[in-house]
């Protein structure tokens, strides 16, 4: 057998999609129910994207935060192995603590330890209110993290009471913050952001000088135009929608 007859298996890199989910008391009821339903339904889509990608496998990690923070698993899981555990809403909004916890896992000693190497992660923050702890110090720590600097970052403001200025600080750009006003819009945005971030984040290269972050934001913006009850959070006009969470 010649060397040309040998098949060499090249290990795929890993791209981790992080869900960072506000589970404070104001999320109780239809909001948290919609989040649980949306993630359950998007996981098979992420599994399919991963299976068809020759460059990278997609893993999922989920951090819920209220008064305390909790990872649903102690390591990222392949989408095919991630069994969603419904989260419940209660207590306060410790987003600052969540930033610190996220930073601790965005490291080689944490969740970014793939033997074959990792693409920059994608991070989706979902929140309907304002932090009740020291958000600024938590974010300052997170912003010093090189994985976070390189990550795709999108935030979903769930309803008009969500603090969009805080979410803009998290993503680094107001263009990456999207507001939803009803259950269907929330479910659709979670699906679109998760799928788009996974597809683009797991590519080996970007188109021209356009960053992966810019590509994701552009595609989500296009999708938002066709979703009733969703809008780019940066609009200077008064919202054309009123919240309806029944």
């Amino acid at each position: 057998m010649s060397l040309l007859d040998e098949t060499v298996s090249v290990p795929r890199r890993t791209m981790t999609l992080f869900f960072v989910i506000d589970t404070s008391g104001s999320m109780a009821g239809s909001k948290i129910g919609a989040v649980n339903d949306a993630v359950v339904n998007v996981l098979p889509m992420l599994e399919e994207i991963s299976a068809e990608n020759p460059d990278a496998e997609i893993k999922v990690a989920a951090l819920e935060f209220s008064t305390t923070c909790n990872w649903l698993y102690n390591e990222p899981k392949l989408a095919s192995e991630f069994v969603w555990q419904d989260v419940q809403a209660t207590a306060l909004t410790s987003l600052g603590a969540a930033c610190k916890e996220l930073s601790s896992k965005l490291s080689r000693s944490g969740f970014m330890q793939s033997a074959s190497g990792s693409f920059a992660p994608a991070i989706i923050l979902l929140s309907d209110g304002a932090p009740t702890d020291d958000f600024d110090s938590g974010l300052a720590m997170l912003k010093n993290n090189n994985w976070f600097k390189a990550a795709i970052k999108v935030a979903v403001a769930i309803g008009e009471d969500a603090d969009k200025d805080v979410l803009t600080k998290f993503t680094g750009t107001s263009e990456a913050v999207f507001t939803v006003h009803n259950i269907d819009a929330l479910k659709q945005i979670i699906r679109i952001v998760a799928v788009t971030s996974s597809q683009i984040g797991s590519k080996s290269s970007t188109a021209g000088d356009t960053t992966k972050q810019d590509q994701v934001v552009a595609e989500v913006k296009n999708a938002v135009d066709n979703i009733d009850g969703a809008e780019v959070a940066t609009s200077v006009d008064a919202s054309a929608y009123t919240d309806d969470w029944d």
Side-chain angles (χ1 to χ4, degrees):
M1 178 182 293
S2 71
L3 291 176
L4 295 177
D5 294 325
E6 295 182 7
T7 300
V8 178
S9 177
V10 179
R12 296 190 297 165
R13 295 165 70 183
T14 298
M15 200 290 291
T16 302
L17 174 66
F18 287 84
F19 289 100
V20 182
I21 303 170
D22 181 350
T23 54
S24 61
S26 57
M27 286 285 291
S30 57
K31 291 179 182 178
I32 203 65
V35 170
N36 285 321
D37 184 63
V39 178
V40 166
N41 284 289
V42 82
L43 285 171
M45 301 178 191
L46 303 182
E47 178 183 357
E48 183 177 350
I49 294 169
S50 182
E52 295 176 351
N53 189 328
D55 298 321
E57 60 182 9
I58 295 169
K59 291 189 175 182
V60 179
L63 175 66
E64 58 168 323
F65 66 94
S66 54
T67 301
T68 59
C69 303
N70 175 60
W71 292 99
L72 269 63
Y73 289 96
N74 60 7
E75 63 180 0
K77 295 282 189 181
L78 290 170
S80 58
E81 299 174 354
F82 197 108
V83 179
W84 183 255
Q85 307 157 47
D86 280 358
V87 293
Q88 306 298 321
T90 183
L92 303 178
T93 311
S94 298
L95 181 54
C99 288
K100 293 179 180 179
E101 181 60 31
L102 178 60
S103 182
S104 73
K105 299 303 184 185
L106 289 173
S107 66
R108 292 293 184 189
S109 60
F111 285 0
M112 310 302 292
Q113 53 184 291
S114 172
S116 57
S118 300
F119 284 108
I123 303 168
I124 304 172
L125 172 61
L126 309 168
S127 182
D128 77 330
T132 54
D133 65 347
D134 186 356
F135 167 70
D136 288 333
S137 68
L139 182 64
M141 176 183 290
L142 184 58
K143 281 192 169 183
N144 283 326
N145 185 295
N146 287 331
W147 282 112
F148 183 76
K149 292 176 184 178
I152 295 168
K153 297 174 285 285
V154 176
V156 179
I158 303 174
E160 275 303 302
D161 291 336
D163 191 328
K164 300 177 189 66
D165 290 336
V166 162
L167 300 182
T168 295
K169 289 180 181 179
F170 183 89
T171 62
T173 171
S174 57
E175 298 294 310
V177 180
F178 301 90
T179 304
V180 294
H181 299 278
N182 59 55
I183 295 171
D184 288 340
L186 175 55
K187 290 181 180 180
Q188 289 185 68
I189 284 293
I190 290 174
R191 174 180 57 81
I192 290 165
V193 173
V195 168
T196 304
S197 297
S198 297
Q199 289 173 329
I200 293 174
S202 59
K203 290 180 180 178
S204 291
S205 61
T206 60
D209 295 329
T210 305
T211 67
K212 291 182 178 181
Q213 170 86 16
D214 291 339
Q215 289 181 59
V216 169
V217 168
E219 291 198 19
V220 175
K221 275 186 175 181
N222 288 337
V224 162
D225 290 339
N226 298 312
I227 299 176
D228 185 31
E231 60 187 336
V232 179
T234 55
S235 174
V236 295
D237 297 327
S239 173
Y241 299 100
T242 56
D243 287 350
D244 180 8
W245 300 105
D246 296 329

